[in-house]
Amino acid sequence: MPTFQSYEGQTPAWCPGCGNFPILKTLKEALAELEIEPHQLTVVSGIGQAAKLPHYMKCNTFNGLHGRTLPVATGIRLANHEMPVIAVAGDGDCYGEGGNHLLHAIRRNINVKLFVHDNQVYGLTKGQASPTTMEGVVTKTQPFGSLSEALNPMAMAVALDCSFVARGFAGDAEFLKGLMKEALNHKGFALLDILQPCVTFNKVNTYQWYSGRVYRIGDDHDPFDRIEAFKKALEWGEKIPTGIIYRNSRPTLEERIPVIKDTPLIKQRFSFKEAEKEIQGFY
């Protein structure tokens, strides 16, 4: 049976106090409690501070290009849909450079779990405004304040009928762990946006700022009610909801591809001679 230590990787190089630390610790605990062995799991990332997370875990990992987390995760799932795949990304990596891939991953409903470390800045490149930076927030490269309205990833995901939409907070680790486990057990694409203070480059959205605003969604919220989910997703400001905002039951992409529906691609018979014969047919 795996333990927390089973996933220990390299020593993290994040800033002391970074919100990435509790996310990493919580993820290891969630995986151990779900009894997922390290060799049974793949964690994929792109570029950014959040994208360093796979370096700090012992399991199958892939560190790719900026914004390209989801295409790689999709490819792994299509090759072997018996293996759980977690994609991790920052808000800039996922909602900026990788925004187009996010839209289509939601639409296809590939069975990948996407955990977004949302600190509302580009932390790796010293604090420029990201898609979720609030309008008017001053950064090193936005001296007059961010002039763009902030992206609301929860509302966008509900509008796109995403299979699982949730928000967590790095300062509420026990609740976050429950959300991670719910996402991992969900059949279909899962977006878990994790509010994560950047203690070095974001002096606005601090632990104190979030702690005074976040609240856990109550049991009276029905996540299968899309209209109510959209209303909940629009909440931001003085009150910020955390928990499962929306979920539905849709066929996954893997289930809808006849060739791999019953047998993972890696377990199917393969012959080099037959492949060469097929290739020769093109000449």
Side-chain angles (χ1 to χ4, degrees):
M1 181 181 296
T3 65
F4 177 90
Q5 289 74 22
S6 303
Y7 298 93
E8 288 287 352
Q10 300 175 31
T11 302
W14 291 315
C15 302
C18 175
N20 284 326
F21 283 102
I23 296 175
L24 174 63
K25 179 176 180 290
T26 303
L27 176 58
K28 291 176 182 176
E29 291 175 349
L31 292 169
E33 291 180 17
L34 290 174
E35 300 183 10
I36 299 174
E37 296 283 354
H39 71 276
Q40 297 174 324
L41 171 76
T42 297
V43 180
V44 183
S45 70
I47 296 295
Q49 293 290 1
K52 294 178 181 176
L53 184 142
H55 305 181
Y56 310 142
M57 293 189 66
K58 186 173 75 175
C59 59
N60 302 297
T61 63
F62 190 101
N63 192 197
L65 300 175
H66 200 16
R68 305 296 179 257
T69 311
L70 287 172
V72 175
T74 298
I76 293 170
R77 277 294 299 182
L78 294 180
N80 181 9
H81 61 264
E82 290 182 345
M83 173 172 284
V85 178
I86 297 173
V88 294
D91 41 296
D93 187 31
C94 182
Y95 302 141
E97 282 78 0
N100 184 48
H101 298 301
L102 174 60
L103 301 183
H104 297 291
I106 291 174
R107 184 172 62 86
R108 294 172 181 135
N109 200 29
I110 184 75
N111 199 347
V112 165
K113 317 307 170 187
L114 172 62
F115 295 166
V116 181
H117 303 213
D118 189 352
N119 59 13
Q120 301 178 252
V121 291
Y122 281 90
L124 183 68
T125 47
K126 315 306 181 190
Q128 298 94 334
S130 81
T132 56
T133 300
M134 296 185 300
E135 189 173 357
V137 170
V138 174
T139 74
K140 289 183 177 179
T141 52
Q142 281 80 27
F144 307 112
S146 176
L147 303 178
S148 301
E149 186 172 342
L151 175 75
N152 183 330
M154 300 289 90
M156 180 185 71
V158 174
L160 292 171
D161 204 21
C162 181
S163 188
F164 182 98
V165 183
R167 176 189 282 129
F169 173 44
D172 189 2
E174 193 62 30
F175 190 58
L176 175 61
K177 182 167 64 178
L179 295 176
M180 287 180 170
K181 292 166 71 173
E182 287 278 354
L184 286 162
N185 285 329
H186 178 76
K187 192 187 80 169
F189 185 78
L191 168 62
L192 174 56
D193 185 77
I194 306 170
L195 302 175
Q196 172 247 316
C198 174
V199 296
T200 302
F201 297 111
N202 188 338
K203 303 300 184 184
V204 175
N205 309 111
T206 62
Y207 275 105
Q208 185 178 21
W209 189 92
Y210 284 120
S211 296
R213 289 168 170 77
V214 298
Y215 74 94
R216 297 180 182 180
I217 296 173
D219 294 336
D220 57 334
H221 174 66
D222 178 7
F224 291 94
D225 186 328
R226 195 175 179 190
I227 300 299
E228 291 303 315
F230 194 68
K231 292 178 182 175
K232 190 64 68 179
L234 291 176
E235 287 186 26
W236 182 269
E238 293 305 313
K239 294 184 67 178
I240 301 174
T242 59
I244 300 173
I245 292 173
Y246 179 62
R247 68 193 311 172
N248 61 39
S249 179
R250 293 167 50 201
T252 66
L253 178 62
E254 300 92 311
E255 291 175 327
R256 287 180 284 125
I257 298 178
V259 175
I260 63 171
K261 180 180 179 181
D262 298 320
T263 307
L265 195 61
I266 62 165
K267 290 188 176 179
Q268 296 187 22
R269 187 178 65 85
F270 179 76
S271 166
F272 279 106
K273 287 186 177 179
E274 291 183 11
E276 287 175 352
K277 184 179 177 182
E278 291 294 328
I279 292 172
Q280 288 302 321
F282 290 99
Y283 294 97

